[in-house]
Amino acid sequence: MESNLTTGGRSSLSSLPRCCLLLLAAATAHSQFRELAVTDDGGQLYFVSGLSLKSEPQPRGGIYRIVEGRIETFVVNPPLGSLRPQSYWNPHVSGGGEVVTYARMISCVGGSSCYLAGYPRTYSLVCVQGKCMEEALGGQAQVSRNGRYVVHVGGWQVTGFPPTAFRHLRDLDTGESTEIPFRPSHLRQALTSDGHVLGIGGTGLMLWSRQQLRTLPVAEVPENALINDQATWVLYETRPPAERRLRSFDLSSGRDILLARGAEASFQPSISNDGQLVLYVAPPAPGQPPQVFLLRPDGADRRQLTATGYALDSCSHYM
């Protein structure tokens, strides 16, 4: 299959307003690109695609990035044919672009023997200033916007042995690793630049740091949750018996605000890199296809960003 990815074009993404970049991300995620990760200035955009550059000898797909308007390969999936096939996914990038993490999944061809041996297994690699660390972290990772902290979570079960689990916060400045008492509430936006991690515990939300564990008295039972980088408010999604709701919780005042309601599927919420905006997908009215909406965490300045004739099943996922 010939890829339609090209290395042509010199229009710099950094010159685009964030909302324009966000809409570009929405369009690409809907068709060919997924798992988008962008720097704060929009100058670097990482994504996963099953397509390949025309310059690549074999169409294997992998992780690509757009830098100064050029699409280039970041890491390509290894050739097929191995009994331990591998693939790369889940890219993350810090706000300044100096730290990049991505996952490597090792599968297995061998039926039940693979399952008994604990496959598939996922590791994450951390690259700082273009150089990847020799030590791979277990599970999936996400990096804080300032590039100092990495959370990695995952595990596997090998028959006859205790389960191997990873649930740690790694300080890249000191090298210190601390176990987290719960799984992060989101695969991308559950970690802040001061090392706070958001999680779901029982019927509520918990906010953890190496100094304290705080329970958040949210109004409804959360299904998933995100936190802005400044650790000032939380965005969470519920699924009550009657309808799904999207809410925000102010960590300072304790104010819990209903932002949207009634979607049948997930709102696919996301928080902007500067922590000031909420993006989500929902039908404008009953019976209409879902579109992308933007608003502030207090519910103000709501805007519909798209008006397509077809349903958008994802927004940028991450701004």
Side-chain angles (χ1 to χ4, degrees), residues 18 22 39-40 95 145 189 191-193 226-235 248-251 259 270-279 294-299 318-319:
R18 181 172 290 128
L22 203 139
T39 55
D40 288 344
R145 297 308 303 171
Q189 295 184 319
L191 172 65
T192 69
S193 285
L226 302 77
I227 187 169
N228 72 332
D229 186 62
Q230 298 78 17
T232 56
W233 57 274
V234 166
L235 181 68
S248 66
F249 179 82
D250 188 302
L251 291 171
L259 301 179
S270 180
I271 299 174
S272 61
N273 290 346
D274 61 9
Q276 303 302 311
L277 296 171
V278 174
L279 186 81
L294 187 72
L295 78 166
R296 297 193 179 278
D298 61 359
Y318 344 102
M319 290 190 282

mmCIF file of all heavy atoms in Angstrom, residues 18 22 39-40 95 145 189 191-193 226-235 248-251 259 270-279 294-299 318-319:
data_model
loop_
_atom_site.group_PDB
_atom_site.id
_atom_site.type_symbol
_atom_site.label_atom_id
_atom_site.label_comp_id
_atom_site.label_asym_id
_atom_site.label_seq_id
_atom_site.Cartn_x
_atom_site.Cartn_y
_atom_site.Cartn_z
ATOM 1 N N ARG A 18 -3.132 27.700 18.093
ATOM 2 C CA ARG A 18 -3.313 26.388 18.711
ATOM 3 C C ARG A 18 -4.622 25.737 18.288
ATOM 4 O O ARG A 18 -4.686 24.538 18.061
ATOM 5 C CB ARG A 18 -3.253 26.515 20.238
ATOM 6 C CG ARG A 18 -3.412 25.167 20.948
ATOM 7 C CD ARG A 18 -3.164 25.284 22.423
ATOM 8 N NE ARG A 18 -1.762 25.523 22.693
ATOM 9 C CZ ARG A 18 -1.317 26.522 23.465
ATOM 10 N NH1 ARG A 18 -2.160 27.349 24.007
ATOM 11 N NH2 ARG A 18 -0.035 26.684 23.685
ATOM 12 N N LEU A 22 -5.183 22.245 16.502
ATOM 13 C CA LEU A 22 -6.083 21.296 17.136
ATOM 14 C C LEU A 22 -7.071 20.719 16.131
ATOM 15 O O LEU A 22 -7.342 19.525 16.115
ATOM 16 C CB LEU A 22 -6.814 22.048 18.236
ATOM 17 C CG LEU A 22 -7.399 21.284 19.384
ATOM 18 C CD1 LEU A 22 -7.132 22.057 20.655
ATOM 19 C CD2 LEU A 22 -8.881 21.178 19.168
ATOM 20 N N THR A 39 3.892 19.753 21.182
ATOM 21 C CA THR A 39 4.563 20.663 22.095
ATOM 22 C C THR A 39 3.709 21.906 22.326
ATOM 23 O O THR A 39 2.740 22.147 21.614
ATOM 24 C CB THR A 39 5.933 21.080 21.528
ATOM 25 O OG1 THR A 39 5.749 21.623 20.211
ATOM 26 C CG2 THR A 39 6.872 19.883 21.453
ATOM 27 N N ASP A 40 4.093 22.714 23.306
ATOM 28 C CA ASP A 40 3.287 23.868 23.670
ATOM 29 C C ASP A 40 3.180 24.895 22.550
ATOM 30 O O ASP A 40 2.150 25.552 22.397
ATOM 31 C CB ASP A 40 3.852 24.537 24.922
ATOM 32 C CG ASP A 40 3.611 23.717 26.182
ATOM 33 O OD1 ASP A 40 2.765 22.801 26.138
ATOM 34 O OD2 ASP A 40 4.268 23.988 27.209
ATOM 35 N N GLY A 95 6.292 19.821 27.050
ATOM 36 C CA GLY A 95 5.866 21.070 26.439
ATOM 37 C C GLY A 95 6.937 21.729 25.594
ATOM 38 O O GLY A 95 6.651 22.341 24.568
ATOM 39 N N ARG A 145 4.455 18.161 31.511
ATOM 40 C CA ARG A 145 4.679 19.203 30.514
ATOM 41 C C ARG A 145 6.066 19.818 30.652
ATOM 42 O O ARG A 145 6.658 20.246 29.650
ATOM 43 C CB ARG A 145 3.618 20.306 30.633
ATOM 44 C CG ARG A 145 2.194 19.893 30.382
ATOM 45 C CD ARG A 145 1.993 19.152 29.084
ATOM 46 N NE ARG A 145 2.433 19.898 27.906
ATOM 47 C CZ ARG A 145 2.507 19.367 26.687
ATOM 48 N NH1 ARG A 145 2.191 18.102 26.501
ATOM 49 N NH2 ARG A 145 2.902 20.093 25.674
ATOM 50 N N GLN A 189 -3.288 12.548 30.471
ATOM 51 C CA GLN A 189 -3.356 13.790 31.231
ATOM 52 C C GLN A 189 -3.732 13.528 32.685
ATOM 53 O O GLN A 189 -4.752 13.995 33.185
ATOM 54 C CB GLN A 189 -4.340 14.761 30.568
ATOM 55 C CG GLN A 189 -3.864 15.210 29.198
ATOM 56 C CD GLN A 189 -4.775 16.245 28.569
ATOM 57 O OE1 GLN A 189 -5.992 16.155 28.638
ATOM 58 N NE2 GLN A 189 -4.180 17.229 27.925
ATOM 59 N N LEU A 191 -0.904 13.590 35.012
ATOM 60 C CA LEU A 191 0.362 13.939 35.658
ATOM 61 C C LEU A 191 0.618 15.429 35.483
ATOM 62 O O LEU A 191 0.439 15.971 34.393
ATOM 63 C CB LEU A 191 1.499 13.127 35.025
ATOM 64 C CG LEU A 191 2.928 13.475 35.425
ATOM 65 C CD1 LEU A 191 3.163 13.196 36.902
ATOM 66 C CD2 LEU A 191 3.915 12.672 34.566
ATOM 67 N N THR A 192 1.055 16.106 36.557
ATOM 68 C CA THR A 192 1.316 17.540 36.496
ATOM 69 C C THR A 192 2.815 17.814 36.590
ATOM 70 O O THR A 192 3.613 16.938 36.942
ATOM 71 C CB THR A 192 0.595 18.281 37.630
ATOM 72 O OG1 THR A 192 1.204 17.938 38.883
ATOM 73 C CG2 THR A 192 -0.884 17.906 37.668
ATOM 74 N N SER A 193 3.183 19.057 36.321
ATOM 75 C CA SER A 193 4.602 19.422 36.315
ATOM 76 C C SER A 193 5.221 19.472 37.708
ATOM 77 O O SER A 193 6.445 19.533 37.833
ATOM 78 C CB SER A 193 4.794 20.773 35.618
ATOM 79 O OG SER A 193 4.664 20.640 34.212
ATOM 80 N N LEU A 226 -9.118 13.764 34.102
ATOM 81 C CA LEU A 226 -7.901 14.422 33.672
ATOM 82 C C LEU A 226 -7.618 15.577 34.616
ATOM 83 O O LEU A 226 -8.526 16.082 35.275
ATOM 84 C CB LEU A 226 -8.034 14.969 32.240
ATOM 85 C CG LEU A 226 -8.374 14.045 31.088
ATOM 86 C CD1 LEU A 226 -9.846 13.665 31.062
ATOM 87 C CD2 LEU A 226 -8.033 14.725 29.750
ATOM 88 N N ILE A 227 -6.367 16.031 34.660
ATOM 89 C CA ILE A 227 -6.005 17.177 35.486
ATOM 90 C C ILE A 227 -5.170 18.135 34.654
ATOM 91 O O ILE A 227 -4.379 17.702 33.801
ATOM 92 C CB ILE A 227 -5.233 16.719 36.750
ATOM 93 C CG1 ILE A 227 -5.015 17.897 37.705
ATOM 94 C CG2 ILE A 227 -3.918 16.045 36.395
ATOM 95 C CD1 ILE A 227 -4.495 17.495 39.073
ATOM 96 N N ASN A 228 -5.349 19.444 34.873
ATOM 97 C CA ASN A 228 -4.536 20.396 34.123
ATOM 98 C C ASN A 228 -3.135 20.441 34.706
ATOM 99 O O ASN A 228 -2.882 20.016 35.843
ATOM 100 C CB ASN A 228 -5.187 21.782 34.092
ATOM 101 C CG ASN A 228 -5.138 22.502 35.424
ATOM 102 O OD1 ASN A 228 -5.110 21.884 36.489
ATOM 103 N ND2 ASN A 228 -5.151 23.820 35.384
ATOM 104 N N ASP A 229 -2.186 20.932 33.931
ATOM 105 C CA ASP A 229 -0.784 20.846 34.315
ATOM 106 C C ASP A 229 -0.471 21.649 35.568
ATOM 107 O O ASP A 229 0.450 21.315 36.317
ATOM 108 C CB ASP A 229 0.096 21.337 33.152
ATOM 109 C CG ASP A 229 1.569 21.142 33.426
ATOM 110 O OD1 ASP A 229 1.988 19.985 33.588
ATOM 111 O OD2 ASP A 229 2.294 22.154 33.518
ATOM 112 N N GLN A 230 -1.247 22.698 35.822
ATOM 113 C CA GLN A 230 -1.004 23.527 36.997
ATOM 114 C C GLN A 230 -1.620 22.951 38.267
ATOM 115 O O GLN A 230 -1.460 23.532 39.349
ATOM 116 C CB GLN A 230 -1.570 24.938 36.757
ATOM 117 C CG GLN A 230 -0.930 25.685 35.602
ATOM 118 C CD GLN A 230 -1.435 25.227 34.235
ATOM 119 O OE1 GLN A 230 -2.484 24.571 34.139
ATOM 120 N NE2 GLN A 230 -0.710 25.554 33.188
ATOM 121 N N ALA A 231 -2.319 21.830 38.164
ATOM 122 C CA ALA A 231 -2.969 21.172 39.310
ATOM 123 C C ALA A 231 -3.929 22.114 40.013
ATOM 124 O O ALA A 231 -3.990 22.177 41.247
ATOM 125 C CB ALA A 231 -1.933 20.632 40.293
ATOM 126 N N THR A 232 -4.734 22.853 39.225
ATOM 127 C CA THR A 232 -5.728 23.753 39.803
ATOM 128 C C THR A 232 -7.153 23.257 39.605
ATOM 129 O O THR A 232 -8.044 23.654 40.339
ATOM 130 C CB THR A 232 -5.599 25.169 39.209
ATOM 131 O OG1 THR A 232 -5.708 25.094 37.776
ATOM 132 C CG2 THR A 232 -4.255 25.780 39.571
ATOM 133 N N TRP A 233 -7.386 22.409 38.588
ATOM 134 C CA TRP A 233 -8.724 21.857 38.401
ATOM 135 C C TRP A 233 -8.659 20.514 37.688
ATOM 136 O O TRP A 233 -7.664 20.172 37.050
ATOM 137 C CB TRP A 233 -9.640 22.832 37.660
ATOM 138 C CG TRP A 233 -9.148 23.272 36.308
ATOM 139 C CD1 TRP A 233 -8.308 24.306 36.020
ATOM 140 C CD2 TRP A 233 -9.470 22.675 35.042
ATOM 141 N NE1 TRP A 233 -8.089 24.402 34.669
ATOM 142 C CE2 TRP A 233 -8.797 23.420 34.047
ATOM 143 C CE3 TRP A 233 -10.270 21.603 34.652
ATOM 144 C CZ2 TRP A 233 -8.878 23.117 32.684
ATOM 145 C CZ3 TRP A 233 -10.357 21.295 33.295
ATOM 146 C CH2 TRP A 233 -9.668 22.049 32.332
ATOM 147 N N VAL A 234 -9.737 19.763 37.846
ATOM 148 C CA VAL A 234 -9.852 18.406 37.300
ATOM 149 C C VAL A 234 -11.058 18.349 36.372
ATOM 150 O O VAL A 234 -12.092 18.972 36.629
ATOM 151 C CB VAL A 234 -10.014 17.382 38.450
ATOM 152 C CG1 VAL A 234 -10.463 16.027 37.928
ATOM 153 C CG2 VAL A 234 -8.708 17.257 39.228
ATOM 154 N N LEU A 235 -10.919 17.609 35.292
ATOM 155 C CA LEU A 235 -12.012 17.351 34.363
ATOM 156 C C LEU A 235 -12.359 15.877 34.465
ATOM 157 O O LEU A 235 -11.475 15.024 34.360
ATOM 158 C CB LEU A 235 -11.571 17.702 32.943
ATOM 159 C CG LEU A 235 -12.571 17.525 31.804
ATOM 160 C CD1 LEU A 235 -13.716 18.523 31.931
ATOM 161 C CD2 LEU A 235 -11.872 17.706 30.456
ATOM 162 N N SER A 248 -16.306 19.557 35.740
ATOM 163 C CA SER A 248 -15.011 20.050 36.200
ATOM 164 C C SER A 248 -15.074 20.265 37.704
ATOM 165 O O SER A 248 -16.133 20.561 38.271
ATOM 166 C CB SER A 248 -14.630 21.351 35.484
ATOM 167 O OG SER A 248 -15.514 22.403 35.835
ATOM 168 N N PHE A 249 -13.913 20.118 38.345
ATOM 169 C CA PHE A 249 -13.820 20.275 39.802
ATOM 170 C C PHE A 249 -12.656 21.205 40.102
ATOM 171 O O PHE A 249 -11.516 20.937 39.721
ATOM 172 C CB PHE A 249 -13.607 18.921 40.472
ATOM 173 C CG PHE A 249 -13.474 18.985 41.969
ATOM 174 C CD1 PHE A 249 -14.600 19.059 42.771
ATOM 175 C CD2 PHE A 249 -12.220 18.991 42.573
ATOM 176 C CE1 PHE A 249 -14.485 19.129 44.159
ATOM 177 C CE2 PHE A 249 -12.093 19.053 43.948
ATOM 178 C CZ PHE A 249 -13.232 19.124 44.739
ATOM 179 N N ASP A 250 -12.937 22.321 40.774
ATOM 180 C CA ASP A 250 -11.923 23.305 41.137
ATOM 181 C C ASP A 250 -11.226 22.843 42.416
ATOM 182 O O ASP A 250 -11.854 22.705 43.466
ATOM 183 C CB ASP A 250 -12.579 24.667 41.350
ATOM 184 C CG ASP A 250 -11.566 25.779 41.536
ATOM 185 O OD1 ASP A 250 -10.743 25.690 42.473
ATOM 186 O OD2 ASP A 250 -11.594 26.740 40.749
ATOM 187 N N LEU A 251 -9.923 22.604 42.338
ATOM 188 C CA LEU A 251 -9.193 22.063 43.481
ATOM 189 C C LEU A 251 -9.046 23.065 44.614
ATOM 190 O O LEU A 251 -8.818 22.678 45.762
ATOM 191 C CB LEU A 251 -7.809 21.587 43.029
ATOM 192 C CG LEU A 251 -7.818 20.357 42.117
ATOM 193 C CD1 LEU A 251 -6.431 20.100 41.566
ATOM 194 C CD2 LEU A 251 -8.320 19.132 42.870
ATOM 195 N N LEU A 259 -20.521 20.574 32.834
ATOM 196 C CA LEU A 259 -20.149 21.206 31.569
ATOM 197 C C LEU A 259 -20.975 20.713 30.395
ATOM 198 O O LEU A 259 -21.313 21.480 29.491
ATOM 199 C CB LEU A 259 -18.662 20.951 31.273
ATOM 200 C CG LEU A 259 -17.651 21.452 32.305
ATOM 201 C CD1 LEU A 259 -16.241 21.091 31.868
ATOM 202 C CD2 LEU A 259 -17.792 22.949 32.532
ATOM 203 N N SER A 270 -10.379 16.559 26.538
ATOM 204 C CA SER A 270 -8.963 16.890 26.548
ATOM 205 C C SER A 270 -8.790 18.267 27.162
ATOM 206 O O SER A 270 -9.705 19.096 27.119
ATOM 207 C CB SER A 270 -8.397 16.864 25.125
ATOM 208 O OG SER A 270 -7.025 17.173 25.118
ATOM 209 N N ILE A 271 -7.618 18.520 27.742
ATOM 210 C CA ILE A 271 -7.292 19.812 28.344
ATOM 211 C C ILE A 271 -6.149 20.432 27.554
ATOM 212 O O ILE A 271 -5.184 19.747 27.198
ATOM 213 C CB ILE A 271 -6.885 19.646 29.822
ATOM 214 C CG1 ILE A 271 -8.033 19.052 30.633
ATOM 215 C CG2 ILE A 271 -6.450 20.976 30.421
ATOM 216 C CD1 ILE A 271 -7.662 18.720 32.069
ATOM 217 N N SER A 272 -6.250 21.720 27.278
ATOM 218 C CA SER A 272 -5.205 22.406 26.528
ATOM 219 C C SER A 272 -3.900 22.413 27.309
ATOM 220 O O SER A 272 -3.879 22.304 28.536
ATOM 221 C CB SER A 272 -5.627 23.837 26.199
ATOM 222 O OG SER A 272 -5.842 24.575 27.387
ATOM 223 N N ASN A 273 -2.776 22.552 26.599
ATOM 224 C CA ASN A 273 -1.467 22.546 27.248
ATOM 225 C C ASN A 273 -1.319 23.646 28.282
ATOM 226 O O ASN A 273 -0.626 23.471 29.286
ATOM 227 C CB ASN A 273 -0.364 22.691 26.190
ATOM 228 C CG ASN A 273 -0.223 21.452 25.328
ATOM 229 O OD1 ASN A 273 -0.751 20.394 25.668
ATOM 230 N ND2 ASN A 273 0.484 21.558 24.219
ATOM 231 N N ASP A 274 -1.970 24.801 28.052
ATOM 232 C CA ASP A 274 -1.863 25.887 29.020
ATOM 233 C C ASP A 274 -2.848 25.737 30.178
ATOM 234 O O ASP A 274 -2.873 26.549 31.100
ATOM 235 C CB ASP A 274 -2.049 27.249 28.350
ATOM 236 C CG ASP A 274 -3.427 27.410 27.704
ATOM 237 O OD1 ASP A 274 -4.311 26.543 27.907
ATOM 238 O OD2 ASP A 274 -3.615 28.410 26.979
ATOM 239 N N GLY A 275 -3.670 24.683 30.151
ATOM 240 C CA GLY A 275 -4.571 24.393 31.261
ATOM 241 C C GLY A 275 -5.785 25.277 31.351
ATOM 242 O O GLY A 275 -6.490 25.265 32.368
ATOM 243 N N GLN A 276 -6.094 26.038 30.296
ATOM 244 C CA GLN A 276 -7.175 27.015 30.365
ATOM 245 C C GLN A 276 -8.421 26.634 29.569
ATOM 246 O O GLN A 276 -9.437 27.311 29.671
ATOM 247 C CB GLN A 276 -6.665 28.374 29.854
ATOM 248 C CG GLN A 276 -5.457 28.900 30.610
ATOM 249 C CD GLN A 276 -5.721 29.049 32.098
ATOM 250 O OE1 GLN A 276 -6.726 29.619 32.509
ATOM 251 N NE2 GLN A 276 -4.810 28.525 32.908
ATOM 252 N N LEU A 277 -8.362 25.568 28.770
ATOM 253 C CA LEU A 277 -9.480 25.225 27.889
ATOM 254 C C LEU A 277 -9.799 23.742 27.959
ATOM 255 O O LEU A 277 -8.930 22.917 28.236
ATOM 256 C CB LEU A 277 -9.154 25.606 26.435
ATOM 257 C CG LEU A 277 -8.947 27.100 26.137
ATOM 258 C CD1 LEU A 277 -8.415 27.272 24.730
ATOM 259 C CD2 LEU A 277 -10.241 27.879 26.335
ATOM 260 N N VAL A 278 -11.064 23.429 27.679
ATOM 261 C CA VAL A 278 -11.555 22.053 27.612
ATOM 262 C C VAL A 278 -12.047 21.788 26.192
ATOM 263 O O VAL A 278 -12.726 22.631 25.598
ATOM 264 C CB VAL A 278 -12.725 21.827 28.596
ATOM 265 C CG1 VAL A 278 -13.326 20.436 28.411
ATOM 266 C CG2 VAL A 278 -12.251 22.017 30.024
ATOM 267 N N LEU A 279 -11.695 20.648 25.657
ATOM 268 C CA LEU A 279 -12.161 20.224 24.351
ATOM 269 C C LEU A 279 -12.908 18.910 24.515
ATOM 270 O O LEU A 279 -12.468 18.035 25.264
ATOM 271 C CB LEU A 279 -10.974 20.013 23.413
ATOM 272 C CG LEU A 279 -11.286 19.702 21.955
ATOM 273 C CD1 LEU A 279 -11.608 20.981 21.194
ATOM 274 C CD2 LEU A 279 -10.087 19.019 21.292
ATOM 275 N N LEU A 294 -15.444 23.561 22.379
ATOM 276 C CA LEU A 294 -14.388 24.147 23.186
ATOM 277 C C LEU A 294 -15.030 25.074 24.211
ATOM 278 O O LEU A 294 -15.969 25.808 23.898
ATOM 279 C CB LEU A 294 -13.438 24.944 22.293
ATOM 280 C CG LEU A 294 -12.158 25.505 22.915
ATOM 281 C CD1 LEU A 294 -11.174 24.375 23.186
ATOM 282 C CD2 LEU A 294 -11.518 26.523 21.963
ATOM 283 N N LEU A 295 -14.547 25.028 25.458
ATOM 284 C CA LEU A 295 -15.057 25.925 26.496
ATOM 285 C C LEU A 295 -14.041 26.031 27.614
ATOM 286 O O LEU A 295 -13.024 25.315 27.624
ATOM 287 C CB LEU A 295 -16.395 25.458 27.035
ATOM 288 C CG LEU A 295 -16.435 24.293 28.048
ATOM 289 C CD1 LEU A 295 -17.801 24.226 28.708
ATOM 290 C CD2 LEU A 295 -16.104 22.968 27.391
ATOM 291 N N ARG A 296 -14.317 26.908 28.568
ATOM 292 C CA ARG A 296 -13.447 27.061 29.730
ATOM 293 C C ARG A 296 -13.922 26.131 30.851
ATOM 294 O O ARG A 296 -15.076 25.703 30.863
ATOM 295 C CB ARG A 296 -13.439 28.515 30.198
ATOM 296 C CG ARG A 296 -12.880 29.458 29.143
ATOM 297 C CD ARG A 296 -12.574 30.838 29.686
ATOM 298 N NE ARG A 296 -12.020 31.680 28.635
ATOM 299 C CZ ARG A 296 -10.742 31.672 28.265
ATOM 300 N NH1 ARG A 296 -9.890 30.852 28.883
ATOM 301 N NH2 ARG A 296 -10.304 32.450 27.307
ATOM 302 N N PRO A 297 -13.045 25.813 31.798
ATOM 303 C CA PRO A 297 -13.425 24.844 32.836
ATOM 304 C C PRO A 297 -14.558 25.308 33.744
ATOM 305 O O PRO A 297 -15.159 24.482 34.431
ATOM 306 C CB PRO A 297 -12.130 24.643 33.634
ATOM 307 C CG PRO A 297 -11.280 25.822 33.298
ATOM 308 C CD PRO A 297 -11.628 26.200 31.908
ATOM 309 N N ASP A 298 -14.873 26.618 33.740
ATOM 310 C CA ASP A 298 -16.014 27.084 34.523
ATOM 311 C C ASP A 298 -17.296 27.086 33.701
ATOM 312 O O ASP A 298 -18.345 27.545 34.174
ATOM 313 C CB ASP A 298 -15.755 28.474 35.084
ATOM 314 C CG ASP A 298 -15.540 29.532 33.998
ATOM 315 O OD1 ASP A 298 -15.583 29.174 32.800
ATOM 316 O OD2 ASP A 298 -15.311 30.700 34.354
ATOM 317 N N GLY A 299 -17.231 26.570 32.479
ATOM 318 C CA GLY A 299 -18.394 26.486 31.606
ATOM 319 C C GLY A 299 -18.587 27.681 30.698
ATOM 320 O O GLY A 299 -19.506 27.677 29.864
ATOM 321 N N TYR A 318 -5.586 15.282 22.572
ATOM 322 C CA TYR A 318 -4.680 16.008 23.449
ATOM 323 C C TYR A 318 -4.297 17.289 22.729
ATOM 324 O O TYR A 318 -3.972 17.275 21.573
ATOM 325 C CB TYR A 318 -3.404 15.191 23.733
ATOM 326 C CG TYR A 318 -3.578 13.746 23.365
ATOM 327 C CD1 TYR A 318 -3.040 13.238 22.185
ATOM 328 C CD2 TYR A 318 -4.319 12.886 24.172
ATOM 329 C CE1 TYR A 318 -3.232 11.921 21.827
ATOM 330 C CE2 TYR A 318 -4.524 11.568 23.803
ATOM 331 C CZ TYR A 318 -3.965 11.090 22.630
ATOM 332 O OH TYR A 318 -4.162 9.798 22.277
ATOM 333 N N MET A 319 -4.338 18.390 23.449
ATOM 334 C CA MET A 319 -4.002 19.667 22.818
ATOM 335 C C MET A 319 -2.603 20.073 23.236
ATOM 336 O O MET A 319 -2.207 19.886 24.357
ATOM 337 C CB MET A 319 -5.014 20.714 23.225
ATOM 338 C CG MET A 319 -6.386 20.503 22.627
ATOM 339 S SD MET A 319 -7.479 21.891 22.897
ATOM 340 C CE MET A 319 -7.976 21.640 24.576
#
